[in-house]
Short mmCIF file of all heavy atoms in Angstrom, two decimals:
data_model
loop_
_atom_site.label_atom_id
_atom_site.label_comp_id
_atom_site.label_asym_id
_atom_site.label_seq_id
_atom_site.Cartn_x
_atom_site.Cartn_y
_atom_site.Cartn_z
N MET A 1 241.55 26.78 91.80
CA MET A 1 242.50 26.30 90.84
C MET A 1 242.74 27.41 89.81
O MET A 1 241.82 28.00 89.30
CB MET A 1 241.91 25.06 90.17
CG MET A 1 242.90 24.29 89.38
SD MET A 1 242.23 22.76 88.67
CE MET A 1 241.46 22.00 90.06
N THR A 2 243.99 27.65 89.50
CA THR A 2 244.31 28.69 88.55
C THR A 2 244.81 28.08 87.25
O THR A 2 245.25 26.94 87.21
CB THR A 2 245.41 29.63 89.11
OG1 THR A 2 246.60 28.86 89.25
CG2 THR A 2 245.00 30.23 90.44
N THR A 3 244.76 28.86 86.19
CA THR A 3 245.19 28.35 84.90
C THR A 3 246.69 28.12 84.86
O THR A 3 247.17 27.37 84.01
CB THR A 3 244.78 29.31 83.77
OG1 THR A 3 245.34 30.59 84.01
CG2 THR A 3 243.29 29.40 83.65
N THR A 4 247.49 28.74 85.74
CA THR A 4 248.93 28.54 85.71
C THR A 4 249.31 27.15 86.21
O THR A 4 250.36 26.64 85.87
CB THR A 4 249.66 29.61 86.53
OG1 THR A 4 249.16 29.58 87.87
CG2 THR A 4 249.47 30.99 85.94
N ALA A 5 248.48 26.53 87.04
CA ALA A 5 248.78 25.20 87.55
C ALA A 5 247.75 24.19 87.06
O ALA A 5 247.62 23.13 87.63
CB ALA A 5 248.81 25.23 89.07
N ALA A 6 247.05 24.54 86.00
CA ALA A 6 245.98 23.66 85.53
C ALA A 6 245.95 23.65 84.01
O ALA A 6 246.50 24.51 83.35
CB ALA A 6 244.63 24.15 86.06
N PHE A 7 245.29 22.62 83.49
CA PHE A 7 244.95 22.61 82.08
C PHE A 7 243.44 22.48 82.02
O PHE A 7 242.79 22.16 83.00
CB PHE A 7 245.65 21.45 81.33
CG PHE A 7 245.19 20.09 81.73
CD1 PHE A 7 244.17 19.45 81.04
CD2 PHE A 7 245.77 19.41 82.79
CE1 PHE A 7 243.75 18.19 81.40
CE2 PHE A 7 245.36 18.14 83.16
CZ PHE A 7 244.34 17.53 82.47
N TRP A 8 242.88 22.75 80.86
CA TRP A 8 241.43 22.74 80.69
C TRP A 8 241.04 21.57 79.81
O TRP A 8 241.60 21.37 78.73
CB TRP A 8 240.97 24.05 80.06
CG TRP A 8 241.27 25.21 80.95
CD1 TRP A 8 242.44 25.92 81.00
CD2 TRP A 8 240.44 25.74 81.97
NE1 TRP A 8 242.36 26.88 81.99
CE2 TRP A 8 241.14 26.78 82.59
CE3 TRP A 8 239.16 25.43 82.41
CZ2 TRP A 8 240.61 27.52 83.63
CZ3 TRP A 8 238.62 26.17 83.44
CH2 TRP A 8 239.34 27.20 84.04
N LEU A 9 240.08 20.79 80.27
CA LEU A 9 239.56 19.66 79.51
C LEU A 9 238.06 19.85 79.37
O LEU A 9 237.34 19.85 80.37
CB LEU A 9 239.87 18.34 80.22
CG LEU A 9 239.26 17.08 79.60
CD1 LEU A 9 239.78 16.87 78.18
CD2 LEU A 9 239.57 15.87 80.47
N ASN A 10 237.61 20.05 78.15
CA ASN A 10 236.19 20.29 77.87
C ASN A 10 235.61 21.38 78.78
O ASN A 10 234.51 21.24 79.31
CB ASN A 10 235.40 18.99 77.97
CG ASN A 10 235.73 18.03 76.85
OD1 ASN A 10 236.35 18.39 75.86
ND2 ASN A 10 235.32 16.79 77.00
N GLY A 11 236.38 22.44 78.96
CA GLY A 11 235.91 23.60 79.70
C GLY A 11 236.06 23.53 81.21
O GLY A 11 235.67 24.45 81.91
N THR A 12 236.64 22.45 81.74
CA THR A 12 236.81 22.30 83.18
C THR A 12 238.30 22.25 83.52
O THR A 12 239.06 21.53 82.85
CB THR A 12 236.13 21.00 83.67
OG1 THR A 12 234.75 21.04 83.31
CG2 THR A 12 236.26 20.84 85.16
N ALA A 13 238.70 22.99 84.54
CA ALA A 13 240.10 23.01 84.96
C ALA A 13 240.46 21.71 85.68
O ALA A 13 239.68 21.19 86.47
CB ALA A 13 240.36 24.20 85.87
N HIS A 14 241.65 21.20 85.37
CA HIS A 14 242.19 20.00 86.00
C HIS A 14 243.63 20.30 86.43
O HIS A 14 244.34 21.01 85.72
CB HIS A 14 242.19 18.82 85.03
CG HIS A 14 240.81 18.37 84.66
ND1 HIS A 14 240.15 17.39 85.34
CD2 HIS A 14 239.98 18.79 83.68
CE1 HIS A 14 238.96 17.21 84.79
NE2 HIS A 14 238.82 18.06 83.79
N PRO A 15 244.08 19.74 87.54
CA PRO A 15 245.45 19.99 87.98
C PRO A 15 246.47 19.49 86.96
O PRO A 15 246.30 18.40 86.41
CB PRO A 15 245.59 19.21 89.29
CG PRO A 15 244.24 18.72 89.63
CD PRO A 15 243.36 18.84 88.45
N HIS A 16 247.47 20.30 86.70
CA HIS A 16 248.54 19.90 85.79
C HIS A 16 249.41 18.84 86.45
O HIS A 16 249.74 18.95 87.63
CB HIS A 16 249.40 21.10 85.41
CG HIS A 16 250.56 20.73 84.57
ND1 HIS A 16 251.84 20.76 85.05
CD2 HIS A 16 250.64 20.28 83.29
CE1 HIS A 16 252.67 20.37 84.09
NE2 HIS A 16 251.96 20.07 83.02
N ARG A 17 249.73 17.80 85.69
CA ARG A 17 250.64 16.75 86.15
C ARG A 17 251.77 16.65 85.15
O ARG A 17 251.55 16.21 84.01
CB ARG A 17 249.91 15.41 86.28
CG ARG A 17 248.84 15.46 87.34
CD ARG A 17 248.12 14.15 87.60
NE ARG A 17 248.41 13.03 86.76
CZ ARG A 17 247.48 12.33 86.11
NH1 ARG A 17 246.21 12.65 86.19
NH2 ARG A 17 247.82 11.30 85.38
N PRO A 18 252.96 17.07 85.52
CA PRO A 18 254.08 17.03 84.57
C PRO A 18 254.26 15.65 83.95
O PRO A 18 254.15 14.63 84.63
CB PRO A 18 255.29 17.41 85.44
CG PRO A 18 254.70 18.21 86.56
CD PRO A 18 253.35 17.58 86.83
N GLY A 19 254.50 15.64 82.65
CA GLY A 19 254.75 14.40 81.94
C GLY A 19 253.51 13.71 81.40
O GLY A 19 253.62 12.76 80.64
N LEU A 20 252.32 14.18 81.74
CA LEU A 20 251.08 13.57 81.26
C LEU A 20 250.90 13.90 79.79
O LEU A 20 250.90 15.07 79.40
CB LEU A 20 249.89 14.08 82.07
CG LEU A 20 248.52 13.50 81.70
CD1 LEU A 20 248.45 12.02 82.04
CD2 LEU A 20 247.41 14.26 82.41
N SER A 21 250.74 12.87 78.97
CA SER A 21 250.52 13.08 77.54
C SER A 21 249.03 13.07 77.24
O SER A 21 248.22 12.63 78.05
CB SER A 21 251.21 11.99 76.72
OG SER A 21 250.53 10.76 76.87
N VAL A 22 248.69 13.53 76.06
CA VAL A 22 247.30 13.51 75.63
C VAL A 22 246.80 12.06 75.61
O VAL A 22 245.69 11.78 76.07
CB VAL A 22 247.14 14.18 74.25
CG1 VAL A 22 245.76 13.97 73.70
CG2 VAL A 22 247.44 15.67 74.36
N ALA A 23 247.60 11.13 75.11
CA ALA A 23 247.20 9.72 75.07
C ALA A 23 246.93 9.17 76.46
O ALA A 23 245.95 8.44 76.67
CB ALA A 23 248.27 8.88 74.37
N GLU A 24 247.78 9.50 77.43
CA GLU A 24 247.58 9.03 78.80
C GLU A 24 246.30 9.61 79.40
O GLU A 24 245.57 8.91 80.11
CB GLU A 24 248.79 9.38 79.66
CG GLU A 24 250.03 8.60 79.27
CD GLU A 24 251.30 9.16 79.88
OE1 GLU A 24 251.39 10.39 80.12
OE2 GLU A 24 252.22 8.36 80.09
N LEU A 25 246.05 10.88 79.14
CA LEU A 25 244.82 11.51 79.62
C LEU A 25 243.60 10.81 79.06
O LEU A 25 242.65 10.50 79.80
CB LEU A 25 244.80 12.99 79.25
CG LEU A 25 243.51 13.74 79.58
CD1 LEU A 25 243.29 13.81 81.09
CD2 LEU A 25 243.53 15.13 78.97
N LEU A 26 243.61 10.52 77.76
CA LEU A 26 242.48 9.83 77.14
C LEU A 26 242.27 8.45 77.74
O LEU A 26 241.14 8.04 77.97
CB LEU A 26 242.70 9.73 75.64
CG LEU A 26 242.69 11.04 74.87
CD1 LEU A 26 243.01 10.80 73.40
CD2 LEU A 26 241.38 11.76 75.02
N ALA A 27 243.35 7.74 78.02
CA ALA A 27 243.23 6.42 78.63
C ALA A 27 242.63 6.52 80.03
O ALA A 27 241.75 5.73 80.39
CB ALA A 27 244.60 5.75 78.70
N GLU A 28 243.06 7.50 80.80
CA GLU A 28 242.52 7.70 82.15
C GLU A 28 241.03 8.02 82.12
O GLU A 28 240.29 7.63 83.02
CB GLU A 28 243.26 8.81 82.88
CG GLU A 28 244.66 8.44 83.28
CD GLU A 28 245.38 9.58 83.99
OE1 GLU A 28 244.75 10.60 84.33
OE2 GLU A 28 246.60 9.44 84.20
N CYS A 29 240.59 8.71 81.09
CA CYS A 29 239.18 9.11 80.97
C CYS A 29 238.34 8.05 80.27
O CYS A 29 237.11 8.22 80.16
CB CYS A 29 239.08 10.43 80.22
SG CYS A 29 239.81 11.83 81.09
N GLY A 30 238.96 6.98 79.78
CA GLY A 30 238.22 5.93 79.10
C GLY A 30 237.91 6.22 77.65
O GLY A 30 237.08 5.55 77.04
N TRP A 31 238.57 7.20 77.07
CA TRP A 31 238.31 7.59 75.68
C TRP A 31 239.30 6.97 74.70
O TRP A 31 239.15 7.15 73.49
CB TRP A 31 238.37 9.10 75.51
CG TRP A 31 237.23 9.84 76.09
CD1 TRP A 31 235.91 9.49 76.07
CD2 TRP A 31 237.27 11.09 76.77
NE1 TRP A 31 235.15 10.44 76.70
CE2 TRP A 31 235.97 11.44 77.15
CE3 TRP A 31 238.30 11.96 77.11
CZ2 TRP A 31 235.66 12.60 77.83
CZ3 TRP A 31 238.01 13.11 77.79
CH2 TRP A 31 236.69 13.43 78.14
N HIS A 32 240.31 6.27 75.16
CA HIS A 32 241.38 5.81 74.28
C HIS A 32 240.93 4.77 73.25
O HIS A 32 241.56 4.62 72.22
CB HIS A 32 242.56 5.28 75.10
CG HIS A 32 242.23 4.09 75.95
ND1 HIS A 32 241.38 4.18 77.03
CD2 HIS A 32 242.60 2.80 75.86
CE1 HIS A 32 241.26 2.98 77.58
NE2 HIS A 32 241.99 2.13 76.89
N GLN A 33 239.86 4.05 73.49
CA GLN A 33 239.38 3.05 72.55
C GLN A 33 238.15 3.53 71.76
O GLN A 33 237.56 2.76 71.02
CB GLN A 33 239.03 1.75 73.28
CG GLN A 33 240.21 1.08 73.92
CD GLN A 33 241.24 0.60 72.91
OE1 GLN A 33 240.90 0.14 71.84
NE2 GLN A 33 242.52 0.73 73.24
N LYS A 34 237.78 4.78 71.94
CA LYS A 34 236.60 5.32 71.27
C LYS A 34 237.01 6.24 70.13
O LYS A 34 238.07 6.85 70.17
CB LYS A 34 235.74 6.09 72.28
CG LYS A 34 235.20 5.21 73.39
CD LYS A 34 234.34 5.99 74.33
CE LYS A 34 233.83 5.06 75.43
NZ LYS A 34 233.04 5.76 76.40
N PRO A 35 236.15 6.35 69.11
CA PRO A 35 236.45 7.30 68.04
C PRO A 35 236.22 8.72 68.54
O PRO A 35 235.10 9.11 68.83
CB PRO A 35 235.47 6.92 66.93
CG PRO A 35 234.36 6.20 67.62
CD PRO A 35 234.95 5.58 68.85
N VAL A 36 237.29 9.47 68.69
CA VAL A 36 237.20 10.84 69.18
C VAL A 36 238.07 11.74 68.30
O VAL A 36 238.97 11.28 67.61
CB VAL A 36 237.66 10.98 70.65
CG1 VAL A 36 236.74 10.20 71.59
CG2 VAL A 36 239.09 10.56 70.84
N VAL A 37 237.79 13.02 68.38
CA VAL A 37 238.61 14.05 67.76
C VAL A 37 239.12 14.92 68.89
O VAL A 37 238.37 15.28 69.80
CB VAL A 37 237.79 14.89 66.75
CG1 VAL A 37 238.61 16.05 66.21
CG2 VAL A 37 237.27 14.01 65.63
N ILE A 38 240.40 15.26 68.85
CA ILE A 38 241.02 16.08 69.88
C ILE A 38 241.34 17.45 69.31
O ILE A 38 242.01 17.58 68.28
CB ILE A 38 242.33 15.44 70.39
CG1 ILE A 38 242.10 14.03 70.88
CG2 ILE A 38 242.98 16.32 71.46
CD1 ILE A 38 241.12 13.92 72.02
N GLU A 39 240.84 18.47 69.98
CA GLU A 39 241.23 19.85 69.68
C GLU A 39 242.19 20.26 70.78
O GLU A 39 241.84 20.24 71.96
CB GLU A 39 240.02 20.77 69.64
CG GLU A 39 240.40 22.20 69.28
CD GLU A 39 239.20 23.12 69.31
OE1 GLU A 39 238.34 22.99 68.43
OE2 GLU A 39 239.15 23.94 70.24
N TYR A 40 243.39 20.60 70.39
CA TYR A 40 244.45 20.96 71.34
C TYR A 40 244.84 22.41 71.10
O TYR A 40 245.40 22.75 70.06
CB TYR A 40 245.64 20.01 71.14
CG TYR A 40 246.81 20.24 72.04
CD1 TYR A 40 246.78 19.79 73.35
CD2 TYR A 40 247.94 20.89 71.59
CE1 TYR A 40 247.86 19.98 74.19
CE2 TYR A 40 249.02 21.08 72.41
CZ TYR A 40 248.98 20.63 73.71
OH TYR A 40 250.05 20.83 74.54
N ASN A 41 244.48 23.26 72.04
CA ASN A 41 244.76 24.70 71.92
C ASN A 41 244.26 25.28 70.60
O ASN A 41 244.93 26.04 69.93
CB ASN A 41 246.24 24.99 72.13
CG ASN A 41 246.68 24.68 73.53
OD1 ASN A 41 245.93 24.87 74.49
ND2 ASN A 41 247.89 24.19 73.69
N GLY A 42 243.05 24.87 70.22
CA GLY A 42 242.40 25.45 69.05
C GLY A 42 242.69 24.77 67.73
O GLY A 42 242.18 25.20 66.71
N GLU A 43 243.52 23.73 67.74
CA GLU A 43 243.84 23.03 66.50
C GLU A 43 243.62 21.53 66.67
O GLU A 43 243.80 21.00 67.76
CB GLU A 43 245.29 23.29 66.10
CG GLU A 43 245.54 24.75 65.78
CD GLU A 43 246.91 24.97 65.17
OE1 GLU A 43 247.51 24.01 64.66
OE2 GLU A 43 247.38 26.12 65.22
N ILE A 44 243.26 20.87 65.58
CA ILE A 44 243.06 19.42 65.62
C ILE A 44 244.42 18.76 65.86
O ILE A 44 245.41 19.07 65.18
CB ILE A 44 242.45 18.90 64.31
CG1 ILE A 44 241.08 19.52 64.07
CG2 ILE A 44 242.37 17.37 64.31
CD1 ILE A 44 240.06 19.22 65.14
N LEU A 45 244.46 17.84 66.82
CA LEU A 45 245.67 17.07 67.09
C LEU A 45 245.44 15.66 66.57
O LEU A 45 244.58 14.93 67.08
CB LEU A 45 245.96 17.04 68.60
CG LEU A 45 247.23 16.33 69.02
CD1 LEU A 45 248.46 17.07 68.49
CD2 LEU A 45 247.30 16.23 70.55
N HIS A 46 246.18 15.28 65.55
CA HIS A 46 245.99 13.99 64.92
C HIS A 46 246.54 12.87 65.80
O HIS A 46 247.52 13.04 66.52
CB HIS A 46 246.65 13.98 63.54
CG HIS A 46 246.01 14.97 62.61
ND1 HIS A 46 244.79 14.74 62.01
CD2 HIS A 46 246.40 16.21 62.23
CE1 HIS A 46 244.47 15.79 61.26
NE2 HIS A 46 245.43 16.70 61.40
N ARG A 47 245.90 11.72 65.72
CA ARG A 47 246.19 10.56 66.58
C ARG A 47 247.69 10.22 66.69
O ARG A 47 248.17 9.91 67.78
CB ARG A 47 245.39 9.35 66.11
CG ARG A 47 245.46 8.18 67.06
CD ARG A 47 244.56 7.05 66.61
NE ARG A 47 243.15 7.39 66.65
CZ ARG A 47 242.33 7.17 67.67
NH1 ARG A 47 242.79 6.57 68.75
NH2 ARG A 47 241.07 7.52 67.61
N PRO A 48 248.47 10.26 65.61
CA PRO A 48 249.89 9.91 65.75
C PRO A 48 250.67 10.79 66.74
O PRO A 48 251.72 10.40 67.22
CB PRO A 48 250.45 10.07 64.34
CG PRO A 48 249.27 9.91 63.44
CD PRO A 48 248.11 10.49 64.21
N TRP A 49 250.13 11.96 67.05
CA TRP A 49 250.82 12.88 67.95
C TRP A 49 250.35 12.79 69.40
O TRP A 49 250.93 13.42 70.28
CB TRP A 49 250.64 14.32 67.45
CG TRP A 49 251.27 14.51 66.11
CD1 TRP A 49 250.62 14.58 64.91
CD2 TRP A 49 252.65 14.62 65.81
NE1 TRP A 49 251.53 14.73 63.89
CE2 TRP A 49 252.78 14.76 64.42
CE3 TRP A 49 253.80 14.62 66.60
CZ2 TRP A 49 254.01 14.89 63.80
CZ3 TRP A 49 255.02 14.76 65.97
CH2 TRP A 49 255.12 14.89 64.59
N TRP A 50 249.30 12.04 69.68
CA TRP A 50 248.75 11.99 71.03
C TRP A 50 249.76 11.52 72.07
O TRP A 50 249.86 12.09 73.14
CB TRP A 50 247.52 11.10 71.09
CG TRP A 50 246.33 11.60 70.33
CD1 TRP A 50 246.22 12.76 69.62
CD2 TRP A 50 245.07 10.94 70.19
NE1 TRP A 50 244.98 12.86 69.03
CE2 TRP A 50 244.25 11.76 69.37
CE3 TRP A 50 244.57 9.75 70.67
CZ2 TRP A 50 242.95 11.41 69.04
CZ3 TRP A 50 243.27 9.41 70.34
CH2 TRP A 50 242.47 10.24 69.54
N ALA A 51 250.51 10.48 71.76
CA ALA A 51 251.44 9.90 72.74
C ALA A 51 252.65 10.79 73.01
O ALA A 51 253.24 10.72 74.09
CB ALA A 51 251.92 8.53 72.28
N THR A 52 252.99 11.64 72.06
CA THR A 52 254.18 12.47 72.23
C THR A 52 253.88 13.93 72.55
O THR A 52 254.79 14.75 72.61
CB THR A 52 255.06 12.41 70.96
OG1 THR A 52 254.28 12.84 69.83
CG2 THR A 52 255.57 10.99 70.73
N THR A 53 252.60 14.24 72.75
CA THR A 53 252.22 15.63 73.07
C THR A 53 251.97 15.74 74.57
O THR A 53 250.98 15.21 75.08
CB THR A 53 250.96 16.04 72.29
OG1 THR A 53 251.22 15.92 70.89
CG2 THR A 53 250.57 17.48 72.61
N PRO A 54 252.88 16.42 75.28
CA PRO A 54 252.67 16.59 76.72
C PRO A 54 251.67 17.71 76.99
O PRO A 54 251.60 18.69 76.25
CB PRO A 54 254.06 16.98 77.23
CG PRO A 54 254.70 17.67 76.07
CD PRO A 54 254.13 17.00 74.83
N ILE A 55 250.90 17.54 78.03
CA ILE A 55 249.94 18.57 78.43
C ILE A 55 250.66 19.56 79.34
O ILE A 55 251.30 19.17 80.32
CB ILE A 55 248.74 17.93 79.15
CG1 ILE A 55 248.03 16.98 78.17
CG2 ILE A 55 247.79 19.01 79.67
CD1 ILE A 55 246.94 16.16 78.81
N GLN A 56 250.55 20.83 79.00
CA GLN A 56 251.21 21.90 79.74
C GLN A 56 250.18 22.72 80.50
O GLN A 56 249.01 22.76 80.13
CB GLN A 56 251.97 22.80 78.76
CG GLN A 56 253.02 22.08 77.94
CD GLN A 56 254.14 21.53 78.78
OE1 GLN A 56 254.56 22.12 79.78
NE2 GLN A 56 254.64 20.37 78.41
N PRO A 57 250.61 23.42 81.57
CA PRO A 57 249.68 24.30 82.26
C PRO A 57 249.08 25.32 81.29
O PRO A 57 249.78 25.87 80.44
CB PRO A 57 250.56 25.00 83.30
CG PRO A 57 251.71 24.07 83.52
CD PRO A 57 251.94 23.41 82.19
N GLY A 58 247.79 25.51 81.38
CA GLY A 58 247.09 26.47 80.54
C GLY A 58 246.58 25.90 79.23
O GLY A 58 245.82 26.56 78.52
N ASP A 59 246.99 24.67 78.88
CA ASP A 59 246.50 24.06 77.64
C ASP A 59 244.98 23.90 77.69
O ASP A 59 244.41 23.65 78.75
CB ASP A 59 247.13 22.68 77.42
CG ASP A 59 248.53 22.76 76.85
OD1 ASP A 59 248.96 23.85 76.44
OD2 ASP A 59 249.20 21.71 76.83
N LYS A 60 244.37 24.02 76.51
CA LYS A 60 242.93 23.82 76.39
C LYS A 60 242.69 22.65 75.45
O LYS A 60 243.07 22.70 74.28
CB LYS A 60 242.26 25.09 75.87
CG LYS A 60 242.35 26.22 76.88
CD LYS A 60 241.69 27.47 76.40
CE LYS A 60 241.85 28.53 77.47
NZ LYS A 60 241.44 29.84 77.01
N ILE A 61 242.07 21.61 76.00
CA ILE A 61 241.82 20.39 75.25
C ILE A 61 240.33 20.14 75.19
O ILE A 61 239.65 20.18 76.21
CB ILE A 61 242.52 19.20 75.93
CG1 ILE A 61 244.03 19.47 76.01
CG2 ILE A 61 242.22 17.89 75.21
CD1 ILE A 61 244.75 18.57 76.97
N GLU A 62 239.84 19.91 73.99
CA GLU A 62 238.44 19.55 73.80
C GLU A 62 238.41 18.17 73.18
O GLU A 62 239.09 17.91 72.19
CB GLU A 62 237.73 20.55 72.88
CG GLU A 62 237.64 21.96 73.44
CD GLU A 62 236.67 22.07 74.62
OE1 GLU A 62 235.68 21.33 74.66
OE2 GLU A 62 236.93 22.92 75.48
N VAL A 63 237.63 17.28 73.78
CA VAL A 63 237.46 15.94 73.26
C VAL A 63 236.05 15.84 72.71
O VAL A 63 235.08 16.06 73.44
CB VAL A 63 237.70 14.87 74.34
CG1 VAL A 63 237.50 13.47 73.77
CG2 VAL A 63 239.09 15.02 74.96
N VAL A 64 235.95 15.53 71.42
CA VAL A 64 234.65 15.42 70.78
C VAL A 64 234.46 13.96 70.41
O VAL A 64 235.27 13.37 69.70
CB VAL A 64 234.60 16.31 69.51
CG1 VAL A 64 233.25 16.16 68.83
CG2 VAL A 64 234.89 17.74 69.86
N THR A 65 233.39 13.37 70.92
CA THR A 65 233.08 11.98 70.60
C THR A 65 232.10 11.94 69.44
O THR A 65 231.32 12.88 69.22
CB THR A 65 232.50 11.23 71.81
OG1 THR A 65 231.30 11.89 72.23
CG2 THR A 65 233.47 11.19 72.96
N ILE A 66 232.13 10.84 68.75
CA ILE A 66 231.24 10.64 67.62
C ILE A 66 230.06 9.78 68.11
O ILE A 66 230.26 8.73 68.68
CB ILE A 66 231.97 9.97 66.46
CG1 ILE A 66 233.13 10.87 66.02
CG2 ILE A 66 231.01 9.65 65.32
CD1 ILE A 66 234.09 10.21 65.07
N VAL A 67 228.85 10.28 67.88
CA VAL A 67 227.66 9.58 68.32
C VAL A 67 226.85 9.22 67.09
O VAL A 67 226.54 10.06 66.26
CB VAL A 67 226.81 10.46 69.27
CG1 VAL A 67 225.55 9.74 69.68
CG2 VAL A 67 227.64 10.87 70.48
N GLY A 68 226.53 7.93 66.97
CA GLY A 68 225.72 7.48 65.85
C GLY A 68 224.25 7.50 66.20
O GLY A 68 223.85 7.57 67.35
N GLY A 69 223.45 7.45 65.22
CA GLY A 69 222.01 7.43 65.46
C GLY A 69 221.28 7.82 64.19
O GLY A 69 221.87 8.17 63.19
N GLY A 70 219.99 7.80 64.32
CA GLY A 70 219.25 8.12 63.11
C GLY A 70 218.03 8.85 63.35
O GLY A 70 217.52 9.61 63.89
#
């Protein structure tokens, strides 16, 4: 898999699917109902933009979950 036909999610290459939004990706991964922070190409992507941000080939997405504990 090459970066021209793939995007990166938490350091792993995934095939690019035209039209896939960040929100749709999170739903597919089961993260859409969890408190997460999205880093999109090195910058924080705020929740209001998830549904309208399409994933492009070569994009780098990091999903950080919040874990509680003591």
Side-chain angles (χ1 to χ4, degrees):
M1 193 176 310
T2 65
T3 58
T4 57
F7 67 93
W8 297 87
L9 174 61
N10 291 346
T12 302
H14 294 268
H16 175 251
R17 295 184 355 234
L20 181 67
S21 71
V22 171
E24 292 166 329
L25 174 66
L26 293 176
E28 288 180 9
C29 294
W31 288 320
H32 62 292
Q33 295 296 322
K34 297 181 181 178
V36 296
V37 174
I38 304 300
E39 182 183 289
Y40 180 78
N41 294 325
E43 296 189 20
I44 299 299
L45 183 65
H46 297 283
R47 189 176 295 267
W49 297 103
W50 293 359
T52 58
T53 302
I55 298 172
Q56 301 295 325
D59 281 349
K60 293 180 181 171
I61 301 164
E62 295 290 328
V63 179
V64 179
T65 60
I66 299 169
V67 178

